[in-house]
Amino acid sequence: MRQKQVVVDYQPERIRDSLQWFGGHLPRLAREYAVSLFPIASWIHRYNLAWLARDLIAGITVGVVVVPQSMGYAKIANLEPQYGLYTAFVGLIVYCLFATSKDISIGPTAVMSLLLGQAITHVQATYPQITGQEIAVTLSFLTGCIAMAIGLIRFGILVDFIPGPVIAGFMTGSAITISISQWPKLFGIRSVATSDPTYLVLGHFFQALPETKVDVAFGLGALVWLYGIRFLCNWLTKKYPQHRNLLFYISISRNGVAVIVGTLIAYLLNIGRDTSPIYILKTVPSGFQAMGVPDISLDTVRAVAPALPSAVLILILEHVAIAKSFGRINDYSINPNQEIVAIGFTNIWSSFFGAYPSTGSFSRTAIKARSGVKTPIAGVFSAIVVLLSLYVLTPAFYYIPDALLAAVVIHAVTDLVAGWSYLKRVVSVSLLEFLVFAVAVLVTFFTALEYGTYASVGLAIFVLLVKLARPKLYTIGRIPLTKDWLNPVQQGFHDHKPAALLQDQPQHLYIPQNDPILGYLAQPLPDGVLMFRIDGAWIYPNASYIADFVISHSKKFTRRAQSVISNGDRQWNEEFNVLRDAARAQLPMLHALIFDFGRVSRLDSSGLQALGDIQNSLRRYSGHRIDFHFVNIPDPLTRMTLLIGGYGTQGDDESTVCDIPTDASTGAHLHPQKTASTSRHPGGGHFASDQGFDHGIHSTHSGQTRVSFEAEKNAIQLDQYHYQQQQQQQHPRLSNQSSYYSHDPLNPVTDFARRVSIESLSSSAIPMPRDLYPYFHWSPDLAVQAVVTTMEKNQQLYDFSHAI
């Protein structure tokens, strides 16, 4: 039985079909959207005692850590310590309702606290009547509203435009800034203004070193304890891995032990004294003293408005980055839009408790994940620990040394600094990415965190736009391949390849002519044929650049139609050189361009216009029409864009005929019985122009057989219809599966209806598929074959016409 040719075509998506589909599915989509806002509903019914035990352990472990950290971070934000506890409680108790990450621990963070502290300092310098607590509540409410709006409209894609070096850069810059700002407290020095830029704080700290108080004993002692226990537990874990879990919980308890022991010593030092010899925390109000409807005035909103963009950016970016990271580590996926909704709702509710903006914490998330957490409900148990601290332990907080909290903060933020291995990898991959990282760190160090964030994000977007506007372009050569690699026996395979597959194997390896390894082996394509590869989307920022590259390289390797140009016809900016013009006269005429679209992810109207500009410019240069062939078109949308521009037939219609060879290995035409009688004759090489050639497709002379493109298309569709009927008779199960051939505009699998004619659905060996349109090809070899065959036929027609 003759094996039929596989012919592929795609139907365009119609807006009316999309609207009808959306209208018909709107109730279901709305219901799914509403349910997606509360992910807890999808898993809470499966909650069990085993999960409860793991969540309880993880929650209590994080709670022990979050209490001292929250009070220390509140100090960074220029607020009283209880506001840190308020922030921690709301974030922990609310997040589980909206969470798609089991590991994230929401609460006060070092970076957000630093940004809030700088905002309070700047606002109060201009508006001294506005309190820090009012600024914090207003900022929490506004950032929550903005974040929630971004999440609800599913606009979290913005996060994907912020690269890793930006995140690492502002994390590192923030960690350095926070650490240096805590040094004066660590040494008991109060004369240094920690709200100044970091480089000034550093300089003033060394100037004020003679003012060191006894607080340094608590601060440095706590640092030695914290780092000593950490390194000791890590060393013991490597030596005794069977005790890994026990050593982990010992290591985690080091913060609580440091605070308890330091507070006890401070209490003993203050027995019988009216004035404390060290700086201590003093009174921490019990319960939620700031709870209520937030009083947000218009003056306060105007005052905090400059800090809103950076606050929202850090709020979302830090949280989503941490959530994605731990999702990859623990093998589950998160929904960034839903996480942004969770952050927004949490901060809106935080404003009713007098709390300040909160987001995901890296250090506490790592502890939570390592503790074996199973669900987001673990945050509820952490919130209970914070609640007990607020109502039971506040009297004990009175004697906590400030230097001790500074040591806890410094120890926590050092994990945010990018390591040497990360920096080496970034430098090895891209110096531009390292520059983005360096800008974030340096600008933060010498100015403020928000300026460092703006500078690094702006530079990253600029680099992205430059890469988009200047994609890599290649001129392609080819290397002949031997046939030995086609032999399965020589390659060590036990199963022989079917003959139908062997005959369609590539004959050449197509590579950039400047390839650093194989470039010296590359041979040019046949005379008059050039191939280009575009590495990226062909859209409006780079359309002109790509067009200029293709035109200039095409002119560089071919000659113009007129080998000798008079001075009057020469362009005003074209240099006159007799020797160069004589050498260029020996170059071949340009006949066709082949574009490898395998890496072109998008082609817009500007790219389509650029193709037209290329064609018009090279037509004037060569004196005749230049055919464009396209290889490896990645998706139906790009293919449809080319069809809209007329590049599928390049002038074929019902009155014209097609002589472009098929992509089948035999080069045979379908339906050869159909004929047409128009003609043309080339001259001046393989091609020349005449009046009917600008947009007409190749035709024959003296009644030579040709195929009408429209007739061929109709015949293929009729053949497909008969084939589908035959398949449904042979395979009854297909009768109810009409969706295989139907159009579903929002289904990514059946986005475009595929029309294929094949011998059997169960067959795994088919001839090389053929595109319905003659200028689209599946491989470079087939494109070159089509061009060469056409040139040879045209030359034969030219010789025949002149012989007559």
Side-chain angles (χ1 to χ4, degrees):
M1 181 180 294
R2 182 179 63 87
Q3 191 172 33
K4 293 188 177 182
Q5 177 71 48
V6 179
V7 181
V8 180
D9 188 23
Y10 303 87
Q11 291 180 344
E13 175 184 345
R14 295 185 301 176
I15 297 178
R16 184 181 66 182
D17 293 338
S18 300
L19 293 177
Q20 289 178 350
W21 187 95
F22 183 78
H25 293 78
L26 183 58
R28 177 179 61 83
L29 294 175
R31 185 171 59 254
E32 291 177 354
Y33 175 79
V35 172
S36 70
L37 295 177
F38 298 94
I40 189 173
S42 64
W43 55 265
I44 190 63
H45 58 278
R46 298 194 303 270
Y47 202 77
N48 53 64
L49 291 178
W51 290 3
L52 176 63
R54 301 287 290 275
D55 287 345
L56 182 63
I57 295 173
I60 294 175
T61 303
V62 172
V64 171
V65 175
V66 74
V67 171
Q69 278 191 1
S70 299
M71 293 188 289
Y73 290 156
K75 289 286 189 177
I76 298 175
N78 293 330
L79 295 172
E80 297 298 324
Q82 64 268 23
Y83 293 105
L85 296 175
Y86 300 160
T87 305
F89 173 78
V90 179
L92 293 168
I93 199 71
V94 172
Y95 176 67
C96 68
L97 298 175
F98 306 93
T100 62
S101 169
K102 69 181 181 65
D103 298 305
I104 278 284
S105 176
I106 291 184
T109 64
V111 178
M112 200 66 224
S113 300
L114 174 63
L115 180 63
L116 177 60
Q118 293 177 347
I120 290 175
T121 301
H122 294 158
V123 171
Q124 289 185 334
T126 308
Y127 305 93
Q129 72 278 11
I130 301 178
T131 65
Q133 196 267 341
E134 291 175 340
I135 297 171
V137 168
T138 302
L139 201 60
S140 178
F141 181 81
L142 294 179
T143 55
C145 290
I146 296 173
M148 192 164 185
I150 292 174
L152 288 175
I153 64 176
R154 299 311 196 221
F155 215 52
I157 189 175
L158 292 175
V159 179
D160 296 333
F161 286 92
I162 309 300
V166 170
I167 301 174
F170 84 74
M171 286 285 191
T172 300
S174 301
I176 295 173
T177 299
I178 292 169
S179 296
I180 293 177
S181 69
Q182 296 300 303
W183 287 2
K185 295 180 182 179
L186 196 73
F187 284 73
I189 300 172
R190 294 288 173 161
S191 61
V192 177
T194 56
S195 59
D196 290 338
T198 308
Y199 75 98
L200 292 178
V201 175
L202 184 62
H204 294 159
F205 166 74
F206 285 108
Q207 289 179 347
L209 269 180
E211 303 176 16
T212 300
K213 303 292 191 299
V214 70
D215 301 66
V216 69
F218 288 87
L220 292 182
L223 280 179
V224 171
W225 164 263
L226 292 172
Y227 281 106
I229 294 298
R230 178 179 181 176
F231 292 141
L232 179 62
C233 289
N234 289 340
W235 179 77
L236 291 174
T237 299
K238 295 178 181 178
K239 191 172 183 179
Y240 304 103
Q242 65 273 22
H243 301 299
R244 179 185 302 271
N245 291 334
L246 175 61
L247 292 170
F248 168 75
Y249 288 110
I250 291 176
S251 177
I252 291 303
S253 65
R254 65 185 183 274
N255 288 280
V257 172
V259 172
I260 292 173
V261 174
T263 304
L264 180 60
I265 296 175
Y267 171 76
L268 295 176
L269 285 176
N270 281 277
I271 293 179
R273 295 175 182 267
D274 294 332
T275 303
S276 175
I278 60 173
Y279 293 102
I280 56 178
L281 205 57
K282 295 187 178 179
T283 303
V284 177
S286 177
F288 294 98
Q289 301 295 324
M291 184 182 294
V293 177
D295 183 14
I296 300 176
S297 65
L298 188 59
D299 290 339
T300 308
V301 172
R302 282 198 296 262
V304 303
L308 272 177
S310 57
V312 173
L313 180 64
I314 292 173
L315 199 75
I316 295 175
L317 199 59
E318 187 175 4
H319 179 89
V320 174
I322 295 172
K324 284 185 175 180
S325 176
F326 281 88
R328 288 191 296 267
I329 292 173
N330 295 314
D331 194 25
Y332 66 88
S333 60
I334 62 125
N335 184 342
N337 289 304
Q338 182 59 29
E339 290 297 318
I340 296 173
V341 170
I343 283 293
F345 188 85
T346 298
N347 282 283
I348 291 174
W349 271 105
S350 294
S351 63
F352 288 85
F353 285 79
Y356 66 87
S358 61
T359 186
S361 167
F362 178 81
S363 59
R364 296 194 298 272
T365 300
I367 293 172
K368 191 177 178 183
R370 181 66 181 84
S371 300
V373 64
K374 296 299 293 184
T375 71
I377 287 183
V380 175
F381 300 117
S382 300
I384 293 174
V385 175
V386 177
L387 191 66
L388 290 175
S389 300
L390 272 170
Y391 282 96
V392 178
L393 300 179
T394 49
F397 294 159
Y398 185 92
Y399 292 102
I400 296 178
D402 280 354
L404 182 58
L405 288 180
V408 171
V409 170
I410 292 173
H411 178 66
V413 300
T414 52
D415 291 332
L416 302 180
V417 177
W420 287 113
S421 59
Y422 174 80
L423 296 181
K424 287 174 60 178
R425 184 170 69 251
V426 171
V427 171
S428 301
V429 171
S430 173
L431 287 177
L432 284 176
E433 291 189 355
F434 177 74
L435 178 62
V436 170
F437 171 86
V439 165
V441 175
L442 293 177
V443 175
T444 299
F445 183 81
F446 287 102
T447 57
L449 176 61
E450 56 184 311
Y451 299 133
T453 304
Y454 294 151
S456 59
V457 170
L459 180 59
I461 294 176
F462 174 75
V463 171
L464 175 64
L465 293 177
V466 169
K467 291 180 178 180
L468 187 64
R470 294 295 181 266
K472 292 184 178 180
L473 306 173
Y474 305 95
T475 55
I476 303 300
R478 63 181 183 177
I479 303 174
L481 296 175
T482 66
K483 305 302 180 184
D484 294 340
W485 72 279
L486 298 177
N487 190 336
V489 177
Q490 293 184 4
Q491 296 298 322
F493 296 105
H494 298 289
D495 298 329
H496 291 275
K497 295 182 179 180
L501 292 182
L502 291 178
Q503 68 179 0
D504 292 327
Q505 294 296 339
Q507 307 299 313
H508 298 85
L509 177 64
Y510 289 82
I511 63 169
Q513 291 182 336
N514 61 350
D515 186 89
I517 298 178
L518 300 175
Y520 75 99
L521 295 173
Q523 300 176 1
L525 272 63
D527 289 347
V529 183
L530 297 176
M531 182 182 294
F532 297 92
R533 179 179 297 164
I534 299 125
D535 192 2
W538 194 344
I539 53 180
Y540 65 93
N542 57 36
S544 297
Y545 171 74
I546 296 175
D548 292 341
F549 177 88
V550 173
I551 293 172
S552 63
H553 277 69
S554 298
K555 293 180 178 180
K556 180 179 179 181
F557 295 106
T558 60
R559 62 180 173 88
R560 66 172 67 246
Q562 295 176 297
S563 58
V564 179
I565 305 176
S566 65
N567 290 333
D569 294 334
R570 191 180 300 276
Q571 293 290 341
W572 64 273
N573 59 350
E574 184 177 356
E575 182 183 355
F576 176 71
N577 188 312
V578 177
L579 295 178
R580 185 196 60 192
D581 290 348
R584 291 188 57 81
Q586 306 302 317
L587 295 174
M589 289 283 291
L590 179 63
H591 303 301
L593 296 185
I594 301 174
F595 292 93
D596 186 347
F597 265 38
R599 299 180 183 177
V600 178
S601 58
R602 180 76 175 92
L603 179 68
D604 68 356
S605 59
S606 298
L608 201 60
Q609 179 62 44
L611 276 170
D613 295 340
I614 296 171
Q615 201 165 40
N616 292 332
S617 176
L618 295 181
R619 181 190 296 118
R620 290 191 297 267
Y621 176 79
S622 302
H624 58 255
R625 164 181 154 171
I626 304 300
D627 287 332
F628 285 5
H629 291 257
F630 300 88
V631 178
N632 298 327
I633 302 176
D635 62 0
L637 287 177
T638 302
R639 182 177 182 275
M640 188 56 59
T641 304
L642 290 172
L643 291 178
I644 292 172
Y647 292 100
T649 59
Q650 300 189 28
D652 297 348
D653 54 27
E654 293 183 2
S655 62
T656 58
V657 295
C658 169
D659 76 344
I660 299 296
T662 68
D663 282 353
S665 58
T666 61
H669 292 286
L670 295 179
H671 313 292
Q673 68 275 12
K674 304 186 183 295
T675 61
S677 59
T678 57
S679 65
R680 74 156 196 206
H681 58 84
H686 294 297
F687 291 108
S689 62
D690 59 18
Q691 295 179 352
F693 185 60
D694 281 347
H695 287 288
I697 201 66
H698 314 310
S699 56
T700 65
H701 181 73
S702 186
Q704 187 173 354
T705 300
R706 282 295 180 268
V707 181
S708 167
F709 173 78
E710 193 65 27
E712 178 186 9
K713 183 176 180 179
N714 293 335
I716 291 175
Q717 293 178 358
L718 182 62
D719 182 51
Q720 290 165 170
Y721 173 77
H722 291 305
Y723 170 73
Q724 294 173 15
Q725 297 296 322
Q726 177 185 0
Q727 288 300 311
Q728 290 183 1
Q729 293 176 3
Q730 296 179 0
H731 305 278
R733 63 183 179 84
L734 293 178
S735 59
N736 296 326
Q737 298 182 4
S738 58
S739 61
Y740 181 82
Y741 298 101
S742 64
H743 175 59
D744 187 353
L746 296 185
N747 188 331
V749 177
T750 60
D751 195 4
F752 288 84
R754 301 188 176 189
R755 303 186 302 229
V756 296
S757 60
I758 55 177
E759 183 64 27
S760 172
L761 292 178
S762 61
S763 174
S764 60
I766 62 173
M768 176 65 73
R770 159 172 139 72
D771 198 290
L772 180 63
Y773 292 88
Y775 292 90
F776 298 160
H777 309 275
W778 294 96
S779 73
D781 270 326
L782 297 176
V784 173
Q785 175 190 353
V787 173
V788 171
T789 303
T790 302
M791 290 193 305
E792 291 174 351
K793 289 182 178 180
N794 287 331
Q795 184 63 42
Q796 293 173 4
L797 291 175
Y798 174 74
D799 295 340
F800 178 75
S801 63
H802 278 66
I804 293 177

